[in-house]
Amino acid sequence: MRRRLRGPTLSRMEDTLLVKPDPTDPRLTRRVTGVDHTGARIEASVTVERPLTLYLNGQEIVTMMTILDRPEDLALGYLLNQNMLKRGDTVTAVEYDDDLQVVVVRTDRRTDFEEKLKKKTLTSGCAQGTAFGDLMEDFEQARLPATAEIRTSWLYRLLHRINTLPTLYLEAGAIHGCALCVQDRPLVYMEDVGRHNAVDKIAGWMFRNACDPADKIFYTTGRLTSEMVIKTVRMGIPILVSRSGFTAWGVELARQVGLTLIGRCKGKRFVALSGEERIIFDADLRYVEEESARHWRKNSREASDAAE
Amino acid sequence: MRRRLRGPTLSRMEDTLLVKPDPTDPRLTRRVTGVDHTGARIEASVTVERPLTLYLNGQEIVTMMTILDRPEDLALGYLLNQNMLKRGDTVTAVEYDDDLQVVVVRTDRRTDFEEKLKKKTLTSGCAQGTAFGDLMEDFEQARLPATAEIRTSWLYRLLHRINTLPTLYLEAGAIHGCALCVQDRPLVYMEDVGRHNAVDKIAGWMFRNACDPADKIFYTTGRLTSEMVIKTVRMGIPILVSRSGFTAWGVELARQVGLTLIGRCKGKRFVALSGEERIIFDADLRYVEEESARHWRKNSREASDAAE
């Protein structure tokens, strides 16, 4: 397994990433001057956040702060994850105006967004951006594929690949990342200032590409909260992985629908608090240990510039 | 300075904390069973999040997910930071019902919350929980005390004290912390599942205790985003410190009003990208280096279980 973590196989895998961050995109970071701990003048890269206003069929829905790299995916994913757009809806157009920073999603069905917006006022802020009533009804009826599995050998290779990707996080920090994965490979990696934007962009990408969620694994740098669980289940993905920790309600909801919840991934260590029957413990931990020791310092440094 | 970091002085200082986390409070964490990376059954502590519904004078405002340790502070701070309550307002009562998990704030002034709620629908989610229009008008007129200062010797001692506090974070992870500090001492340390809740609870505590912000320093485990800057400025605090990174808009807003913005604090290192004229570089970095090496492993481990 140690061999497979390096060499040509890995490189080829990384080339198969369908969407990946572009830390060199000059619109995504800005160089600003300041001082360091010695008082010396320095230049630092900081992540750029921009407002994006979303309309659904002529009705203004929300203004989001985003790195604005994928406004169409973000718009679609936001509407899907807020239950304002159903998976069966026909989207007739997604129009983005770069000057106005406005994105318009058009559907052929008359949407009942006004009622939903009223409910939305009841929730706000971090870990609360989800309208409860509707979403929870849907959630309770969700079914996830029981046949999905995650091998620990996949998990360790997956984490290794994600941790060694060139990202905006490494360039400027203060950003969250999410990955849509299959087996041991990330397929799509998205970053954004809000962790929910990163998830929503992946949901939008999946919708546009008619991506089957049944054999997928979802990775997030963020915590395993109720909202992250609800969004993953809405997307139909049976396995959710994070290097961060759990909240009690996140665990409770995951257990209700049998979502596999793996958190606190660090080196060879992890903890699964729901759906552990999907995990196959096939990795040889002696080799994982070596790998993790080699990457420990780097990963600690990365993760400790805690995003959000 | 090395001596001052240990010994009786430090212990005495920590005893002066007016509000601090209680990681032993059984309502705040729950033990849940799961499996670890070897497949062995384990028990883990997870943070408990509960819904709290806030009313202002009989009008339902919002339902927040919180650890629910200080509902009154959270209610007041939320209303203040959303500009629904002005600093001059007379609060006639704050009533919390533990069964219903409802908190009611009563004022003698007729509040114009209905209009504000309409604006609020335009923003949502992580890093977007702030209603723009009103808040930004207030923000642009804000004035912060130019005479405030932060010595690097204070900063290092402050970070050391914060990093060695017993917290819910160390107990269960997946939580954000904020501290209201004076010179090298944290006065109030609050934690919550949403970083904005932690800030709001401190704002509520300051309001209830008529706390003068002019000589205070605000510390957060979260990123230095536009929202964190706006909230700190609303609270009237001239200096904001974080171990996390910056966003470009956070830096821009901080510069507009001359807020001192210090981020990426790690060991002896930090970066200041706004208001650096308030920083006095008086620490002897040779000793700081030793301290930081001693605590490096511990702090990395803590911070890398990245809260949100």
Side-chain angles (χ1 to χ4, degrees), chain A residues 30 33-37 39 41 45 47 49 61-63 65 78 120-122 124 126 172 174 176 193 195 223 244-249 252 255 264 268 270 272 276 281 305-308, chain B residues 30 33-37 39 41 45 47 49 61-63 65 78 120-122 124 126 172 174 176 193 195 223 244-249 252 255 264 268 270 272 276 281 304-308:
Chain A
R30 186 179 301 154
T33 58
V35 296
D36 71 5
H37 59 283
R41 300 303 302 176
S45 281
T47 308
E49 47 186 343
I61 302 293
V62 73
T63 296
M65 295 306 302
Y78 178 90
K120 192 153 170 16
T121 58
L122 300 182
S124 81
C126 219
H176 272 286
V193 281
R195 90 196 121 106
R223 292 175 293 169
S244 295
F246 307 82
T247 69
W249 198 23
E252 203 176 306
R255 287 177 175 182
R264 300 183 189 167
K268 68 169 177 175
F270 66 79
E276 48 263 44
F281 295 87
D305 185 10
E308 186 165 10
Chain B
R30 187 178 300 155
T33 58
V35 296
D36 72 5
H37 59 282
R41 301 301 303 174
S45 280
T47 307
E49 47 185 343
I61 303 292
V62 73
T63 296
M65 295 307 302
Y78 179 90
K120 195 155 171 12
T121 59
L122 300 182
S124 80
C126 220
H176 272 286
V193 281
R195 93 197 119 108
R223 292 174 294 168
S244 295
F246 307 81
T247 69
W249 198 23
E252 204 176 305
R255 287 177 174 183
R264 301 183 188 165
K268 67 170 178 175
F270 67 78
E276 48 263 44
F281 295 87
S304 65
D305 185 10
E308 186 166 8

XYZ file of all heavy atoms in Angstrom, chain A residues 30 33-37 39 41 45 47 49 61-63 65 78 120-122 124 126 172 174 176 193 195 223 244-249 252 255 264 268 270 272 276 281 305-308, chain B residues 30 33-37 39 41 45 47 49 61-63 65 78 120-122 124 126 172 174 176 193 195 223 244-249 252 255 264 268 270 272 276 281 304-308:
728
model
N -5.862 37.933 -3.073
C -5.318 39.278 -3.235
C -4.076 39.372 -2.359
O -4.034 38.803 -1.271
C -6.354 40.319 -2.808
C -5.921 41.754 -3.076
C -7.002 42.737 -2.664
N -8.248 42.493 -3.377
C -9.471 42.819 -2.927
N -9.603 43.409 -1.759
N -10.548 42.563 -3.639
N -0.513 44.119 2.116
C 0.676 44.351 2.929
C 0.293 44.490 4.393
O -0.825 44.872 4.721
C 1.413 45.638 2.499
O 0.497 46.723 2.609
C 1.915 45.537 1.071
N 1.225 44.150 5.252
C 1.011 44.282 6.691
C 2.341 44.138 7.389
O 3.382 44.407 6.778
N 2.294 43.732 8.672
C 3.536 43.500 9.411
C 3.505 42.097 10.005
O 2.433 41.543 10.246
C 3.751 44.524 10.553
C 3.914 45.933 10.000
C 2.619 44.468 11.568
N 4.703 41.530 10.234
C 4.749 40.229 10.902
C 5.099 40.421 12.384
O 5.097 41.558 12.875
C 5.704 39.271 10.185
C 7.151 39.652 10.371
O 7.441 40.608 11.132
O 8.013 38.998 9.755
N 5.384 39.309 13.068
C 5.592 39.369 14.510
C 6.856 40.129 14.911
O 7.021 40.506 16.060
C 5.640 37.949 15.081
C 6.722 37.122 14.475
N 6.625 36.563 13.217
C 7.943 36.771 14.940
C 7.725 35.895 12.953
N 8.538 36.000 13.965
N 7.622 42.955 13.410
C 7.364 44.339 13.035
C 7.787 44.642 11.599
O 7.619 45.765 11.127
N 7.706 44.734 7.505
C 6.671 44.799 6.473
C 6.647 43.484 5.702
O 7.714 42.974 5.313
C 6.938 45.911 5.443
C 7.009 47.338 5.950
C 5.824 47.852 6.698
N 4.567 47.795 5.931
C 3.374 48.132 6.429
N 3.267 48.541 7.683
N 2.295 48.062 5.707
N -1.104 36.657 1.124
C -2.238 36.350 0.244
C -3.479 36.173 1.101
O -3.450 35.449 2.094
C -1.991 35.032 -0.501
O -1.127 35.242 -1.580
N -7.858 35.425 0.889
C -8.939 34.938 0.050
C -9.934 36.062 -0.232
O -10.312 36.793 0.675
C -9.682 33.801 0.773
O -8.716 32.835 1.181
C -10.706 33.157 -0.136
N -13.616 37.339 -1.043
C -15.029 36.975 -0.952
C -15.845 38.062 -1.680
O -15.586 39.252 -1.511
C -15.470 36.855 0.514
C -15.027 38.023 1.386
C -15.313 37.890 2.879
O -16.145 37.052 3.271
O -14.713 38.663 3.637
N -33.711 35.758 -4.119
C -33.734 34.754 -3.046
C -32.750 35.091 -1.938
O -33.100 35.097 -0.770
C -33.385 33.351 -3.614
C -34.368 32.945 -4.715
C -33.358 32.311 -2.501
C -35.790 32.711 -4.251
N -31.496 35.377 -2.304
C -30.458 35.501 -1.283
C -29.229 36.176 -1.888
O -29.025 36.122 -3.098
C -30.101 34.085 -0.731
C -29.300 33.288 -1.744
C -29.364 34.139 0.599
N -28.460 36.858 -1.036
C -27.131 37.311 -1.434
C -26.121 36.529 -0.619
O -26.185 36.518 0.608
C -26.963 38.822 -1.213
O -27.863 39.512 -2.063
C -25.535 39.263 -1.547
N -22.003 35.406 0.183
C -20.593 35.758 0.033
C -19.869 34.497 -0.430
O -19.974 33.451 0.202
C -20.015 36.232 1.359
C -20.623 37.526 1.868
S -20.570 38.890 0.673
C -18.803 38.989 0.357
N -27.437 25.602 -4.074
C -28.127 26.293 -2.977
C -29.627 26.008 -3.041
O -30.247 25.644 -2.037
C -27.864 27.802 -3.065
C -28.577 28.584 -1.987
C -27.954 28.826 -0.763
C -29.878 29.056 -2.171
C -28.613 29.515 0.242
C -30.540 29.751 -1.168
C -29.898 29.981 0.033
O -30.559 30.654 1.023
N -37.708 30.654 5.999
C -36.278 30.836 6.075
C -35.872 31.909 7.085
O -34.786 31.839 7.660
C -35.758 31.176 4.685
C -34.290 31.092 4.608
C -33.780 30.794 3.258
C -32.268 30.984 3.327
N -31.775 31.004 4.695
N -36.741 32.894 7.281
C -36.390 33.944 8.234
C -36.211 33.391 9.643
O -35.654 34.051 10.495
C -37.479 35.033 8.309
O -38.711 34.423 8.680
C -37.623 35.730 6.989
N -36.699 32.200 9.884
C -36.612 31.646 11.234
C -35.229 31.116 11.574
O -34.950 30.814 12.713
C -37.631 30.513 11.406
C -39.075 30.925 11.195
C -39.995 29.753 11.425
C -39.447 32.076 12.113
N -30.860 31.417 10.862
C -29.814 32.274 10.315
C -28.481 31.911 10.895
O -28.377 31.217 11.897
C -30.077 33.728 10.633
O -29.653 33.990 11.938
N -24.285 30.944 11.243
C -23.432 29.794 11.079
C -24.104 28.569 11.692
O -24.623 28.639 12.802
C -22.134 30.065 11.803
S -20.737 29.466 10.919
N -3.838 30.787 0.689
C -4.308 31.968 1.428
C -5.031 31.645 2.733
O -5.318 32.548 3.501
C -5.219 32.802 0.528
N -8.079 30.380 5.463
C -9.407 30.962 5.706
C -10.434 30.511 4.680
O -11.227 31.309 4.171
C -9.340 32.483 5.757
N -12.853 26.811 3.250
C -13.251 25.421 3.461
C -13.195 24.648 2.157
O -13.427 25.209 1.087
C -14.675 25.351 4.011
C -14.702 25.424 5.495
N -14.316 24.375 6.291
C -15.048 26.420 6.322
C -14.424 24.733 7.552
N -14.862 25.966 7.603
N -15.411 30.325 0.916
C -15.289 30.971 2.224
C -16.284 30.400 3.228
O -15.978 30.276 4.410
C -15.438 32.513 2.146
C -14.142 33.134 1.659
C -16.599 32.926 1.274
N -18.420 27.101 4.374
C -18.355 25.666 4.056
C -19.613 25.228 3.338
O -19.595 24.317 2.522
C -18.063 24.860 5.321
C -19.238 24.372 6.123
C -18.786 23.937 7.511
N -19.501 24.727 8.477
C -20.497 24.264 9.232
N -20.830 22.995 9.179
N -21.140 25.036 10.047
N -16.889 20.745 10.241
C -17.419 19.863 11.279
C -18.605 19.052 10.793
O -19.292 19.424 9.840
C -17.881 20.712 12.458
C -16.761 21.374 13.174
C -17.314 22.289 14.232
N -18.040 23.408 13.656
C -18.801 24.238 14.345
N -18.948 24.061 15.643
N -19.409 25.231 13.758
N -12.545 17.030 10.903
C -13.026 17.732 12.099
C -13.937 16.835 12.931
O -14.164 15.682 12.595
C -13.765 18.999 11.693
O -12.879 19.904 11.088
N -14.481 17.412 14.003
C -15.266 16.653 14.965
C -16.752 16.637 14.679
O -17.210 17.072 13.622
N -17.498 16.090 15.638
C -18.938 15.841 15.523
C -19.721 16.761 16.453
O -19.232 17.149 17.505
C -19.262 14.418 15.985
C -18.467 13.340 15.321
C -17.180 13.028 15.748
C -19.015 12.611 14.276
C -16.451 12.003 15.145
C -18.296 11.589 13.677
C -17.016 11.292 14.114
N -20.982 17.033 16.099
C -21.913 17.524 17.114
C -22.921 16.412 17.379
O -23.137 15.531 16.535
C -22.663 18.795 16.676
O -23.561 18.473 15.620
C -21.696 19.885 16.214
N -23.553 16.484 18.569
C -24.457 15.411 18.992
C -25.643 15.275 18.036
O -26.065 14.167 17.703
C -24.946 15.685 20.415
N -26.163 16.402 17.588
C -27.316 16.345 16.693
C -26.924 15.800 15.316
O -27.686 15.078 14.676
C -27.982 17.722 16.582
C -29.374 17.658 16.055
C -30.218 16.584 16.090
C -30.092 18.698 15.383
N -31.410 16.904 15.493
C -31.361 18.200 15.058
C -29.768 20.024 15.049
C -32.312 18.963 14.389
C -30.721 20.788 14.400
C -31.983 20.255 14.070
N -26.934 12.132 15.757
C -28.304 11.638 15.912
C -29.007 11.545 14.554
O -29.632 10.521 14.234
C -29.043 12.614 16.829
C -30.238 12.047 17.538
C -30.818 13.098 18.487
O -30.051 13.621 19.321
O -32.026 13.393 18.370
N -27.625 8.768 12.371
C -28.112 7.444 12.788
C -29.550 7.212 12.340
O -29.916 6.085 12.003
C -28.001 7.305 14.313
C -26.555 7.141 14.755
C -26.444 7.084 16.257
N -25.061 6.805 16.644
C -24.658 6.649 17.892
N -25.536 6.737 18.888
N -23.399 6.403 18.161
N -12.763 13.171 12.757
C -11.479 13.244 13.474
C -10.400 12.420 12.772
O -9.625 11.705 13.434
C -11.650 12.782 14.934
C -12.640 13.633 15.719
C -12.755 13.220 17.183
N -13.852 13.921 17.850
C -14.340 13.599 19.037
N -13.828 12.583 19.719
N -15.349 14.272 19.566
N -3.416 7.899 10.903
C -4.159 6.640 10.747
C -5.440 6.622 11.583
O -6.279 5.735 11.444
C -3.267 5.457 11.130
C -2.928 5.413 12.606
C -2.260 4.095 13.001
C -1.872 4.149 14.485
N -1.339 2.876 14.971
N -9.118 7.587 13.134
C -10.414 8.195 12.853
C -11.439 7.614 13.817
O -11.160 6.628 14.517
C -10.854 7.991 11.393
C -11.135 6.571 10.994
C -12.347 5.953 11.338
C -10.218 5.833 10.248
C -12.615 4.643 10.958
C -10.484 4.530 9.864
C -11.677 3.932 10.222
N -15.691 6.613 13.872
C -16.973 6.521 13.155
C -18.072 6.424 14.198
O -18.013 5.565 15.079
C -16.984 5.317 12.238
N -21.356 2.450 10.853
C -20.024 1.823 10.772
C -20.056 0.482 10.035
O -19.010 -0.039 9.653
C -19.394 1.666 12.161
C -20.291 1.065 13.231
C -20.952 2.118 14.117
O -21.439 3.142 13.576
O -20.996 1.907 15.341
N -12.436 -2.883 7.226
C -11.119 -2.559 7.800
C -10.052 -3.409 7.125
O -9.582 -4.391 7.687
C -11.147 -2.780 9.320
C -12.074 -1.841 10.041
C -13.419 -2.135 10.210
C -11.604 -0.635 10.533
C -14.277 -1.255 10.858
C -12.449 0.247 11.191
C -13.787 -0.060 11.344
N -4.390 26.183 10.697
C -4.827 27.511 10.260
C -6.324 27.373 10.014
O -6.828 27.503 8.914
C -4.095 27.927 8.989
C -4.443 29.364 8.591
O -5.079 30.063 9.395
O -4.078 29.749 7.474
N -7.027 27.083 11.118
C -8.387 26.542 11.051
C -9.309 27.366 10.163
O -9.498 28.546 10.391
C -8.970 26.468 12.463
N -9.826 26.716 9.162
C -10.776 27.387 8.283
C -12.063 27.639 9.067
O -12.609 26.719 9.642
C -11.044 26.538 7.054
N -12.475 28.876 9.061
C -13.735 29.315 9.730
C -13.791 28.923 11.196
O -14.621 28.130 11.608
C -14.946 28.729 9.021
C -16.244 29.292 9.592
C -17.359 28.974 8.633
O -17.183 28.224 7.701
O -18.437 29.557 8.847
N -22.211 14.902 25.183
C -22.854 13.596 25.327
C -21.832 12.527 24.962
O -21.002 12.737 24.080
C -24.062 13.528 24.384
C -24.914 12.271 24.570
C -26.116 12.296 23.628
N -26.967 13.442 23.878
C -27.787 14.007 22.973
N -27.839 13.526 21.765
N -28.530 15.043 23.284
N -21.311 6.009 21.424
C -20.432 4.898 21.078
C -20.227 4.840 19.565
O -21.056 5.313 18.798
C -21.026 3.551 21.536
O -22.301 3.413 20.909
C -21.189 3.507 23.042
N -19.109 4.265 19.171
C -18.799 4.107 17.760
C -17.634 3.163 17.620
O -17.402 2.338 18.512
N -16.908 3.277 16.490
C -15.704 2.457 16.317
C -14.534 3.371 15.977
O -14.725 4.463 15.455
C -15.860 1.412 15.181
C -16.953 0.403 15.519
C -16.135 2.072 13.837
N -13.324 2.909 16.298
C -12.139 3.671 15.909
C -11.514 3.061 14.650
O -12.121 2.186 14.009
C -11.145 3.786 17.068
C -10.445 2.462 17.356
O -10.654 1.488 16.608
O -9.698 2.403 18.361
N -10.313 3.524 14.282
C -9.686 3.110 13.023
C -9.305 1.637 13.000
O -9.037 1.084 11.944
C -8.463 3.984 12.751
C -7.438 3.894 13.842
N -7.564 4.556 15.041
C -6.280 3.206 13.915
C -6.523 4.297 15.802
N -5.735 3.471 15.151
N -11.368 -0.634 14.209
C -12.623 -1.377 14.258
C -13.097 -1.647 15.676
O -14.156 -2.238 15.876
N -14.696 -1.003 19.376
C -15.750 -0.156 19.943
C -15.120 0.905 20.840
O -14.245 0.577 21.660
C -16.743 -0.957 20.800
C -17.502 -2.095 20.141
C -18.349 -1.731 18.961
N -19.367 -0.710 19.223
C -20.143 -0.176 18.281
N -20.016 -0.557 17.014
N -21.032 0.730 18.570
N -16.838 11.784 23.298
C -17.645 12.933 23.733
C -17.972 13.789 22.527
O -17.078 14.114 21.741
C -16.857 13.808 24.714
O -16.874 13.254 25.989
N -20.223 17.401 21.226
C -20.864 18.634 21.682
C -22.355 18.569 21.392
O -22.765 18.179 20.309
C -20.253 19.825 20.923
O -18.839 19.761 21.060
C -20.765 21.140 21.471
N -25.821 20.377 20.593
C -26.410 21.603 20.047
C -27.927 21.529 20.247
O -28.523 20.485 20.011
C -26.053 21.764 18.566
C -26.265 20.501 17.740
C -25.813 20.565 16.279
O -25.612 21.674 15.765
O -25.699 19.490 15.666
N -38.245 35.979 16.238
C -37.161 36.527 15.410
C -36.379 35.423 14.710
O -36.163 35.462 13.513
C -36.180 37.363 16.263
C -36.916 38.503 16.986
C -35.030 37.894 15.418
C -37.442 39.590 16.086
N -35.945 34.407 15.437
C -35.013 33.435 14.872
C -34.954 32.200 15.779
O -35.243 32.287 16.971
C -33.604 34.089 14.743
C -32.939 34.263 16.091
C -32.702 33.325 13.798
N -34.647 31.050 15.179
C -34.288 29.871 15.967
C -32.812 29.578 15.717
O -32.394 29.436 14.571
C -35.152 28.663 15.593
O -36.510 28.950 15.939
C -34.700 27.420 16.342
N -29.209 27.385 16.688
C -28.642 26.180 17.286
C -27.490 26.624 18.185
O -26.594 27.329 17.738
C -28.126 25.227 16.209
C -29.205 24.669 15.302
S -30.602 23.893 16.188
C -29.731 22.620 17.126
N -27.300 38.706 20.118
C -27.805 38.528 18.748
C -28.543 39.777 18.304
O -28.306 40.310 17.217
C -28.725 37.308 18.683
C -29.307 37.083 17.302
C -28.646 36.290 16.373
C -30.505 37.697 16.922
C -29.161 36.106 15.106
C -31.028 37.512 15.650
C -30.357 36.723 14.752
O -30.865 36.551 13.486
N -33.414 40.793 6.326
C -32.650 39.645 6.752
C -32.774 38.447 5.815
O -31.858 37.646 5.695
C -33.088 39.260 8.160
C -32.118 38.334 8.793
C -32.139 38.369 10.263
C -31.264 37.216 10.714
N -30.463 36.631 9.636
N -33.909 38.334 5.151
C -34.082 37.202 4.247
C -33.058 37.224 3.116
O -32.871 36.230 2.442
C -35.481 37.191 3.611
O -35.672 38.389 2.887
C -36.548 37.030 4.667
N -32.450 38.364 2.879
C -31.512 38.462 1.766
C -30.168 37.817 2.065
O -29.363 37.647 1.171
C -31.284 39.927 1.399
C -32.540 40.676 0.980
C -32.189 42.099 0.594
C -33.229 39.977 -0.194
N -27.968 34.692 4.292
C -28.125 33.448 5.044
C -26.845 32.660 5.046
O -25.940 32.903 4.273
C -29.202 32.574 4.430
O -28.662 31.891 3.333
N -23.452 30.364 6.462
C -22.172 30.599 7.076
C -21.507 31.812 6.446
O -21.488 31.935 5.234
C -21.314 29.368 6.841
S -20.371 28.957 8.252
N -14.584 17.884 23.611
C -15.424 17.273 22.573
C -15.165 17.797 21.167
O -15.681 17.235 20.202
C -16.899 17.478 22.936
N -15.170 20.369 17.752
C -16.301 20.855 16.953
C -16.992 22.050 17.582
O -18.218 22.126 17.629
C -17.298 19.732 16.698
N -16.446 26.533 18.572
C -15.650 27.753 18.454
C -15.555 28.461 19.779
O -16.475 28.396 20.589
C -16.272 28.701 17.434
C -15.793 28.445 16.052
N -14.539 28.804 15.642
C -16.382 27.851 15.004
C -14.377 28.444 14.383
N -15.482 27.850 13.967
N -21.335 26.238 19.218
C -21.217 25.493 17.963
C -21.070 26.422 16.763
O -20.350 26.106 15.828
C -22.400 24.520 17.741
C -22.214 23.268 18.570
C -23.740 25.171 18.035
N -19.685 30.038 15.465
C -18.760 31.049 15.999
C -19.487 32.348 16.263
O -19.133 33.096 17.165
C -17.564 31.207 15.059
C -17.630 32.269 14.011
C -16.578 32.019 12.936
N -17.255 31.823 11.672
C -17.248 32.716 10.696
N -16.609 33.843 10.817
N -17.893 32.482 9.587
N -12.154 32.522 11.664
C -11.485 33.336 10.649
C -11.844 34.806 10.786
O -12.886 35.162 11.325
C -11.906 32.877 9.252
C -11.404 31.527 8.907
C -11.994 31.100 7.591
N -13.434 30.925 7.671
C -14.228 30.775 6.621
N -13.713 30.795 5.405
N -15.506 30.599 6.767
N -6.635 31.969 13.201
C -6.981 31.628 11.834
C -6.608 32.763 10.875
O -6.079 33.784 11.287
C -8.472 31.329 11.727
O -8.791 30.181 12.474
N -6.979 32.553 9.607
C -6.578 33.478 8.558
C -7.579 34.585 8.281
O -8.564 34.756 8.999
N -7.309 35.330 7.213
C -8.065 36.516 6.834
C -8.851 36.285 5.542
O -8.435 35.512 4.704
C -7.105 37.668 6.519
C -6.107 37.986 7.583
C -4.937 37.234 7.709
C -6.312 39.038 8.444
C -3.994 37.551 8.682
C -5.379 39.361 9.416
C -4.223 38.610 9.537
N -9.940 37.025 5.366
C -10.485 37.169 4.022
C -10.233 38.606 3.580
O -10.069 39.518 4.408
C -11.990 36.868 3.946
O -12.711 37.881 4.636
C -12.323 35.499 4.535
N -10.236 38.799 2.246
C -9.891 40.115 1.697
C -10.869 41.187 2.161
O -10.486 42.310 2.497
C -9.850 40.040 0.169
N -12.151 40.840 2.201
C -13.153 41.829 2.607
C -13.049 42.144 4.093
O -13.252 43.289 4.516
C -14.565 41.341 2.241
C -15.567 42.455 2.222
C -15.327 43.785 2.050
C -16.982 42.322 2.408
N -16.504 44.483 2.112
C -17.527 43.623 2.334
C -17.831 41.233 2.631
C -18.893 43.852 2.464
C -19.190 41.463 2.757
C -19.710 42.758 2.671
N -10.327 44.640 4.262
C -10.759 45.918 3.694
C -11.622 46.697 4.698
O -11.410 47.894 4.920
C -11.568 45.609 2.429
C -11.625 46.722 1.430
C -12.377 46.252 0.184
O -11.970 45.211 -0.396
O -13.372 46.904 -0.187
N -9.636 48.026 7.645
C -8.864 49.222 7.303
C -9.747 50.463 7.223
O -9.322 51.560 7.583
C -8.148 49.008 5.970
C -6.980 48.041 6.117
C -6.305 47.756 4.799
N -5.119 46.937 4.993
C -4.301 46.579 4.011
N -4.535 46.976 2.771
N -3.249 45.837 4.275
N -3.417 34.519 12.056
C -2.401 33.476 11.867
C -1.424 33.408 13.028
O -0.207 33.253 12.831
C -1.648 33.686 10.541
C -2.568 33.668 9.321
C -1.807 33.795 8.004
N -2.721 33.964 6.872
C -2.375 34.369 5.658
N -1.103 34.635 5.390
N -3.264 34.493 4.698
N 5.346 31.991 18.021
C 5.708 33.411 18.086
C 5.234 34.167 16.848
O 5.298 35.394 16.805
C 7.225 33.559 18.242
C 8.014 33.104 17.025
C 9.487 33.491 17.103
C 10.213 32.938 15.866
N 11.615 33.365 15.813
N 2.853 35.818 13.926
C 1.534 36.349 13.620
C 1.661 37.313 12.462
O 2.772 37.699 12.071
C 0.874 37.016 14.841
C 1.539 38.267 15.330
C 1.353 39.492 14.670
C 2.346 38.254 16.454
C 1.961 40.648 15.127
C 2.964 39.411 16.916
C 2.763 40.607 16.245
N -0.245 40.970 11.008
C -1.235 42.040 11.207
C -1.462 42.726 9.866
O -0.505 43.142 9.211
C -0.740 43.039 12.229
N -1.921 48.328 12.351
C -0.711 47.836 13.014
C -0.058 48.921 13.895
O 0.808 48.600 14.704
C 0.287 47.266 11.999
C 0.569 48.135 10.792
C -0.260 47.768 9.559
O -1.479 47.526 9.722
O 0.295 47.748 8.456
N 5.953 46.370 19.785
C 6.754 45.141 19.691
C 7.754 45.094 20.841
O 8.937 45.353 20.652
C 7.453 45.083 18.329
C 6.494 44.965 17.175
C 5.936 46.087 16.584
C 6.115 43.715 16.699
C 5.029 45.974 15.540
C 5.217 43.591 15.646
C 4.665 44.730 15.072
N -6.035 21.573 14.995
C -6.244 20.833 13.769
C -7.536 20.024 13.805
O -7.993 19.558 12.772
C -5.054 19.915 13.491
O -4.981 18.935 14.484
N -8.155 19.894 14.988
C -9.510 19.325 15.003
C -10.421 20.509 14.697
O -11.243 20.927 15.482
C -9.819 18.725 16.371
C -11.170 18.015 16.392
O -11.756 17.841 15.312
O -11.622 17.656 17.485
N -10.219 21.026 13.485
C -10.663 22.380 13.140
C -12.144 22.595 13.439
O -12.984 21.895 12.925
C -10.401 22.645 11.668
N -12.401 23.550 14.293
C -13.789 23.890 14.588
C -14.396 24.551 13.350
O -13.870 25.524 12.847
C -13.842 24.820 15.785
N -15.447 23.975 12.865
C -16.207 24.502 11.704
C -15.315 24.868 10.535
O -15.110 26.059 10.241
C -16.999 25.725 12.099
C -17.889 26.181 10.960
C -18.890 27.179 11.535
O -18.786 27.585 12.660
O -19.832 27.451 10.810
